[in-house]
Amino acid sequence: MSAFLLGIGFRADMGTCARKLVLLKLIDACEDDGSRIFPAISTIARAAQCSTRQVQRELKAFLDIGLIRLVREGGKGPRSTNEYALDLDVLQLLGKGGWSLVAGDRAENKGDTVSPFESEEKGDTGDAPRVTPETDKGDKLSHPTPPDPSLDPSVERERERDRDEQKTVERWLKRVHPTWPTFIADSGKTAFAAAMALTPAEREMAADRMADYLAAEKLTKGRCAFGVYLSEKRWERLGPKPEAPEKPSYAPAFGPVWAAIRMRDLVTGPKAQPSPLKGWEERAIAEGTLNRDALERGNRMRTGWPMVNGLHLAAETRGLGIHSFGPEEERLGKLCEFVPVDTECWEAWKLEHQLRGWPWLPDPGTMRGVYFPVGGPGGLEAFEQAVRGQHDAGGREAAE
């Protein structure tokens, strides 16, 4: 694009908006010397916001006055376009004097037409009396059509809105009415008139409460036509619609709430004493093939935190999280942060689990990390205080 030529194009009075926009698009596609212009007709039409036929007429007009010249004719394929070049002298004249100076007395070609008139006489040539006095402008042989009140734009717009409303109601009835028990015996005209008298919001409410009304009808053994249901707005007799039950909450595995529930169970201590070592384990320890501390630590991990081990198993085998939790767990989840796998913080948490004898996490699979309390192992004290605060609040509520 040439900024210098674009400035001339903006100053040029081209006579019509479409012609001006076509010129600006050609300048946008050319070099500083006005050469190498080969955008597709459809591309120019999109930029100028006009039809492809309009672009073709404007390009022909530009060729006629010498504003552009054909450098190379394109082929017949969809991607083969003509190449043009701007005549900078003609462009300068347009910038100074506008289209009328350059085009002179050439006939204007405005609007989208299928084909131009070839005869010199245009318009109506009948001998009907003129409605308005003849002026020096326009076609002297034509007479304007007398105004028709039915063509008043405001009236036509109102009629169009009415037709659209009728179509909307017809589609609504086709969707809703067939589900009414008395549909076959109902009067379609009555139902349509009743639906037309409703506002869109009332029609939406009528359809939404229809099932509730029919369920109540079964109890009272009452039944009415659909038109009566609409005209009397019988859904209003039902009172306010009951609120839908809340969807059960779900915490995905390794997420913040899942991690908060897991860590809460760990920091509150083991839930059961470890089982004693078995006879074969004692013999293996005596023989030196097994380590007592390792066996006891494994027993404590398995029996001390059954809920945590259940979370690990569900996450590892089926990718399941926790299907129900409350606001307390949600608040604890906000105290957790994302810790990427194999980072320094990740290794610190693994070491903390070993030191405290806690069961470590299963393989998170494709997860890039897991949530832990904010601040690493050093932040566990703040997390434990939050857990104890919840427990204390729960105990006080129970006592009260």
Side-chain angles (χ1 to χ4, degrees), residues 170-295:
E170 288 174 355
R171 289 194 295 267
W172 182 81
L173 284 173
K174 288 181 180 179
R175 176 174 60 87
V176 175
H177 192 189
T179 60
W180 193 260
T182 62
F183 167 68
I184 297 177
D186 279 354
S187 169
K189 292 182 179 180
T190 302
F192 178 77
M196 285 292 295
L198 300 176
T199 65
E202 288 173 335
R203 287 195 295 270
E204 182 179 352
M205 182 61 68
D208 186 50
R209 300 303 306 275
M210 193 168 68
D212 297 335
Y213 179 78
L214 292 175
E217 257 190 349
K218 289 182 180 180
L219 299 177
T220 61
K221 298 182 180 180
R223 178 171 293 182
C224 66
F226 191 63
V228 175
Y229 169 74
L230 297 178
S231 61
E232 297 183 2
K233 300 181 183 179
R234 291 200 173 188
W235 63 89
E236 294 180 350
R237 303 179 184 180
L238 301 173
K241 186 175 183 179
E243 296 183 2
E246 294 184 1
K247 294 182 179 179
S249 53
Y250 177 76
F254 306 112
V257 175
W258 184 91
I261 294 174
R262 172 183 177 273
M263 291 301 301
R264 181 180 64 183
D265 196 63
L266 291 175
V267 299
T268 53
K271 307 304 180 289
Q273 293 298 321
S275 56
L277 296 179
K278 297 179 176 58
W280 66 268
E281 292 174 323
E282 292 287 357
R283 288 193 296 272
I285 293 172
E287 295 172 359
T289 56
L290 291 178
N291 181 271
R292 180 178 294 277
D293 291 339
L295 288 174

Side-chain angles (χ1 to χ4, degrees), residues 46 49 91 101 106 114 124 138 201 239 266 313 353 394:
R46 283 194 301 272
Q49 295 287 286
L91 181 61
L101 175 65
R106 296 178 182 272
V114 177
D124 299 330
L266 291 175
L313 181 63
H353 279 64

Side-chain angles (χ1 to χ4, degrees), residues 148-165:
D148 184 352
S150 66
L151 298 180
D152 183 359
S154 61
V155 175
E156 289 299 314
R157 285 194 295 269
E158 186 67 27
R159 291 177 180 174
E160 186 65 26
R161 283 195 293 269
D162 290 343
R163 287 192 290 268
D164 291 342
E165 180 72 9

Side-chain angles (χ1 to χ4, degrees), residues 121-126 130 139-143:
E121 295 182 350
K122 300 179 181 178
D124 299 330
T125 59
R130 295 184 59 86
D139 190 354
K140 296 180 180 180
L141 297 178
S142 64
H143 55 275

